[in-house]
């Protein structure tokens, strides 16, 4: 019985080593970009920096957003032309057959050439050019926001894999120790030193620990698969990550700094650019009410060969806006501007509220982790020591001793889960605020 107890107590001395790794955000070692990306992520443990690089190079969402740059740049190139409408050139050659009594038919050849240009007279080109510039700037900010969201998603999946790897190590150590305990208990039972109840308790504890390890292994497989999908890694091999959860009591920013960063995050800048672009498109549609002026210059040769005439003409045409005054285009542009203003206001309000909410949650998690790690765990370990002394003195049973041990193990799992939530919440907070400082 005492040997069984001592083996069970050995579990408590093995787990603190694992708990040291379960305190805070992910801490990684950066790898060189060229060498790191050339190495298969499935062959070497992934660092967070390496995972970010892989995601930015292969993620389809980010690549799709970057591909849209060609469209916006093409629109800007068209808008930066001297004139929006291209000139038109027209040429004509005519052959006349004129009957001449007594001399037969006479052939006359005539030709004409003309050049026309449609001109906008209400400043449409300036509106169009400014709108295209704003759209391009908005798209670039959108790409930056997509990149930040991708990095935050990679970090969160990375943290989950790190947490489950640490949990798997903890559960593996528990299973190994309980196996040893179970073997000793069976020997003592065969020797008549322990009761059947003690042997059954050891087998039950081993079954529970093995089941818990299998559950963690299944969760770890799924977490690695999710990370591999996000990084576009081969499906045949799942990545193993390199990192640790570490606890920093002090954060490198204050809530005021986060709110200031949130007010100028890439998403809000993109919405601001889109609002300005929508306002310029509305100005363009209103300017389109004024008719375009078409100016033409022509030259021609007409008449018989002995009396040919040279004609030079200048023409101006202006459509009269009596029936259609671009009401549909103005209404659509006005609606787009209103929607852009609403979206910008809502995003600013929601971003501020989310930052404040996540800050409060992060502070609560930090206090909870500190309380569990420094207060609850210490008391439980003290209870365990007291129960050990009481058991040796014959004051409590083995069941009570196992209960104290189980409480310590469960609490260490809770500390690891709390630290994982802390890391995930911090990542989400920094992404929501658009924080670009050093982690």
């Amino acid at each position: 019985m005492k040997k069984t107890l001592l083996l069970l107590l050995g579990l408590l001395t093995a787990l603190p080593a694992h708990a040291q790794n379960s305190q805070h955000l992910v801490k990684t070692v950066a790898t060189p970009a060229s060498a790191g990306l050339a190495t298969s992520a499935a062959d070497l443990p992934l660092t967070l920096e390496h995972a970010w690089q892989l995601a930015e190079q292969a993620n389809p969402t980010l690549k799709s957003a970057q591909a849209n740059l060609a469209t916006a740049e093409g629109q800007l190139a068209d808008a930066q032309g001297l004139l929006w409408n291209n000139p038109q050139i027209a040429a004509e050659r005519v052959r006349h057959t004129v009957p001449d009594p007594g001399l037969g038919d006479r052939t006359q050849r005539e030709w004409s050439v003309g050049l026309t240009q449609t001109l906008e007279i209400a400043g449409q080109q300036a509106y169009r050019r400014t709108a295209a510039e704003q759209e391009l700037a908005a798209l670039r900010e959108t790409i930056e926001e997509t990149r930040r969201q991708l990095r935050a998603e990679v970090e969160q999946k990375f943290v989950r894999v790190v947490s489950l790897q640490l949990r798997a190590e903890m559960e593996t150590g528990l299973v190994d120790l309980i196996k040893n305990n179970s073997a000793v208990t069976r020997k003592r039972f065969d020797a008549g030193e322990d009761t059947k109840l003690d042997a059954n308790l050891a087998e039950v504890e081993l079954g529970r620990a093995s089941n818990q390890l299998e559950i963690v292994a299944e969760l770890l497989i799924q977490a690695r698969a999710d990370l591999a999908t996000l990084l576009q890694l081969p499906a045949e091999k799942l990545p193993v990550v390199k990192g640790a959860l570490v606890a920093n009591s002090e954060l490198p920013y204050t809530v005021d700094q986060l709110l200031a960063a949130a007010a100028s995050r890439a998403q809000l800048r993109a919405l601001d650019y889109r609002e300005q672009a929508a306002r310029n498109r509305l100005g363009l549609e209103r300017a389109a009410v004024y008719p375009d002026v078409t100016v033409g210059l022509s030259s021609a040769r007409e008449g018989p060969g002995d009396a040919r005439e040279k004609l030079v003409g200048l023409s101006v045409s202006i459509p009269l806006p009596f029936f259609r005054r671009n009401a549909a285009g103005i209404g659509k542009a006005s609606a787009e501007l209103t929607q852009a203003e609403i979206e910008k206001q809502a995003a600013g309000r929601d971003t501020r509220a989310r930052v404040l909410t996540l800050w409060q949650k992060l502070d609560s998690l930090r206090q909870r982790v500190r309380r569990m790690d420094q207060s609850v765990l210490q008391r439980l370990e003290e209870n365990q020591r007291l129960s050990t002394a009481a058991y040796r003195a014959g004051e409590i049973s083995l069941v009570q001793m196992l209960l104290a041990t189980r409480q310590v193990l469960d609490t260490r799992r809770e500390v690891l889960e709390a630290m994982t939530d802390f890391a995930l919440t911090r990542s989400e907070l920094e992404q929501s605020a658009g924080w670009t400082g050093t982690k």
Side-chain angles (χ1 to χ4, degrees):
M1 292 287 287
K2 292 184 178 180
K3 291 182 180 179
T4 302
L5 175 61
L6 292 176
L7 288 174
L8 287 173
L9 294 180
L11 178 62
L12 297 178
T13 61
L15 289 177
H18 298 292
Q20 293 295 330
N21 292 331
S22 60
Q23 318 245 340
H24 284 293
L25 279 176
V26 176
K27 179 173 62 179
T28 64
V29 179
T31 58
S34 57
L37 293 176
T39 305
S40 173
D43 297 334
L44 293 177
L46 272 176
T47 63
L48 181 57
E49 187 68 28
H50 189 186
W52 280 337
Q53 295 172 7
L54 289 174
E56 291 183 8
Q57 287 193 356
N59 185 262
T61 302
L62 181 59
K63 293 173 68 175
S64 176
Q66 292 171 339
N68 292 329
L69 274 176
T71 301
E73 290 172 350
Q75 291 176 348
L76 180 59
D78 287 342
Q80 287 178 336
L82 180 62
L83 297 174
W84 177 248
N85 297 294
N86 289 323
Q88 296 183 5
I89 186 170
E92 182 181 12
R93 182 178 177 83
V94 180
R95 185 178 68 177
H96 292 282
T97 301
V98 181
D100 190 353
L103 298 177
D105 295 340
R106 184 176 52 182
T107 301
Q108 298 180 7
R109 292 180 173 81
E110 302 174 351
W111 60 266
S112 65
V113 62
L115 180 68
T116 59
Q117 174 66 56
T118 300
L119 304 174
E120 295 174 322
I121 62 174
Q124 290 96 323
Q125 187 70 346
Y127 286 120
R128 189 180 294 111
R129 184 182 298 113
T130 304
E133 292 173 350
Q134 301 294 345
E135 285 289 354
L136 179 59
L139 180 58
R140 287 172 175 163
E141 295 295 343
T142 300
I143 292 174
E144 178 61 25
E145 178 66 18
T146 303
R147 180 182 291 107
R148 290 191 56 82
Q149 291 178 355
L150 175 61
R151 289 171 68 93
E153 187 176 358
V154 169
E155 182 178 2
Q156 290 179 1
K157 293 187 181 300
F158 190 95
V159 166
R160 290 189 177 94
V161 174
V162 169
S163 175
L164 288 170
Q165 286 182 172
L166 294 174
R167 176 73 180 277
E169 293 175 5
M170 181 186 300
E171 299 297 337
T172 301
L174 174 62
V175 169
D176 292 340
L177 289 173
I178 293 181
K179 282 182 179 179
N180 296 332
N181 296 341
S182 179
V184 173
T185 303
R186 283 194 300 268
K187 291 180 180 179
R188 293 181 60 85
F189 173 72
D190 294 337
E193 298 179 5
D194 282 347
T195 65
K196 183 63 175 177
L197 176 61
D198 294 328
N200 289 341
L201 284 176
E203 293 297 332
V204 169
E205 286 296 314
L206 178 59
R208 292 180 61 189
S210 299
N211 180 68
Q212 194 68 29
L213 177 60
E214 292 173 357
I215 292 175
V216 173
E218 294 167 0
L219 294 175
L220 181 57
I221 291 173
Q222 184 60 50
R224 286 174 174 170
D226 293 341
L227 180 60
T229 300
L230 188 60
L231 302 182
Q232 296 293 291
L233 297 178
E236 293 77 11
K237 296 183 179 180
L238 299 180
V240 177
V241 304
K242 179 181 179 181
L245 299 178
V246 292
N248 295 325
S249 58
E250 298 298 331
L251 296 174
Y253 42 71
T254 63
V255 64
D256 293 333
Q257 291 174 326
L258 288 177
L259 291 175
S264 60
R265 62 176 292 188
Q267 180 191 24
L268 297 183
R269 293 197 302 267
L271 292 174
D272 183 63
Y273 284 131
R274 286 202 174 95
E275 179 188 359
Q276 297 177 36
R279 185 169 285 105
N280 280 281
R281 283 195 299 271
L282 177 59
L284 175 62
E285 295 296 338
R286 287 173 175 170
V289 174
Y290 296 92
D292 298 337
V293 177
T294 302
V295 179
L297 180 65
S298 62
S299 177
R301 290 278 186 168
E302 297 180 358
D306 53 352
R308 293 182 69 83
E309 299 177 351
K310 182 178 181 180
L311 304 178
V312 176
L314 177 65
S315 64
V316 177
S317 63
I318 302 177
L320 300 179
F322 288 160
F323 308 110
R324 185 169 62 88
R325 298 181 58 83
N326 198 31
I330 294 174
K332 181 180 178 181
S334 179
E336 291 177 352
L337 175 59
T338 302
Q339 292 173 359
E341 292 173 343
I342 294 174
E343 187 176 358
K344 177 185 174 182
Q345 294 174 359
R349 180 179 61 252
D350 294 345
T351 298
R352 179 180 176 85
R354 185 161 186 78
V355 168
L356 291 174
T357 300
L358 290 173
W359 175 265
Q360 294 175 358
K361 180 181 178 181
L362 186 67
D363 186 62
S364 175
L365 282 169
R366 181 171 50 183
Q367 295 178 9
R368 179 157 64 94
V369 169
R370 185 186 302 114
R371 181 176 63 254
M372 292 178 64
D373 192 29
Q374 298 179 358
S375 177
V376 178
L377 268 180
Q378 292 179 2
R379 286 184 172 85
L380 286 174
E381 290 173 353
E382 182 181 3
N383 290 344
Q384 196 279 328
R385 289 191 295 270
L386 294 175
S387 63
T388 300
Y391 179 77
R392 291 176 178 176
E395 298 176 359
I396 62 174
S397 65
L398 177 62
V399 175
Q400 293 173 306
M401 183 64 214
L402 292 176
L403 176 61
T405 303
R406 177 60 61 180
Q407 286 180 338
V408 174
L409 298 178
D410 291 342
T411 303
R412 292 206 178 279
R413 293 190 185 107
E414 292 174 2
V415 170
L416 178 59
E417 293 174 359
M419 294 310 304
T420 302
D421 291 340
F422 180 87
L424 295 175
T425 302
R426 178 175 176 177
S427 174
E428 186 178 2
L429 173 62
E430 292 175 354
Q431 191 277 328
S432 299
W435 180 257
T436 57
T438 303
K439 291 194 175 186

